[in-house]
Amino acid sequence: MSSAQLTTNFYSSSCPNVLSVIKTSVDSAISTESRMGASLLRLHFHDCFVNGCDASVLLDDTSSFTGEKTANPNSGSLRGFDVIDTIKTQVESSCAGVVSCADILAVAARDSVVKLGGPSWTVLLGRRDSTTASLSTANSDIPAPTLNLSGLISSFSNKGFNSREMVALSGSHTIGQARCTTFRDRLYNETNINTSFATSVKSNCPQSGGDNNISPLDTTSPTTFDIAYYKNLRIQRGLLHSDQQLFNGGSTDSIVTTYSTNSATFFTDFANAMVKMGNLSPLTGTNGQIRKNCRKTN
């Protein structure tokens, strides 16, 4: 869990312009498609929750290697790989073999949140890239949209997060979209859902078919990083089962209420939780490698 070897100025002499290169690419990608910000944030999350923040999520399958891209939480929904490729190409051209794909993911996640109106935080740097990946860990450790509150609490607790940090990180769902297949059951079978909200979403998510049709996780302001997600939970407009579990008569209701009325508190807690997540089990020193191509080991 230690991040003792990560520092703020890791590339200050070896690749001094790396942060501006990443920011320019991220801003450009989000200007082209606002949804990309959520996709890049999710890439970092799905990376860190599987054996730490080591860019394992970026590795392509080969005939002799199975990566994490076909895991249930990732298959057909994880995106933004091309944006990371573009950033990596640009970084390599200015300082070859220096900047890890894992660090690029961490910085791109932060820059995405900032671009969409959210808080900033200082990303500690110096992660190295894995030479392995784990399909089974991706399937077991990334929290599923079907989890109840107790399952969410334990899934995050397994990574060292308390309930408040879990609710703060869930605020990532103030941006982004989800596929019909992940929320159909809630739409048609759950009762703790706003009726008009359910009706409007059903038009894009029929009882059968349309599995990959997407709907915004936050219908109020889907491309702005704000507190609307929490306001929606308080009126039973959570899209995923796991979203509404955060405000459903349980132990986290009060946290949702706090965030729904105080964006400064949410922003502070979210930024702190993101720093903590970015520090999950990084490879440092001589462990791992600096991949030349984020999709494959050297």
Side-chain angles (χ1 to χ4, degrees), residues 12 16 28 38 56 75 93-94 97 100 125 129 147 182 194 203 217 235 246:
S12 57
S28 169
S56 59
S75 180
S93 70
S94 49
S100 68
L125 300 166
D129 299 324
L147 288 180
T182 61
N194 178 286
S203 65
L217 290 156
I235 50 174
L246 302 180

Side-chain angles (χ1 to χ4, degrees), residues 197-215:
F197 170 68
T199 303
S200 69
V201 180
K202 282 175 181 176
S203 65
N204 195 38
C205 184
Q207 274 189 285
S208 65
D211 281 4
N212 292 319
N213 293 358
I214 56 174
S215 293

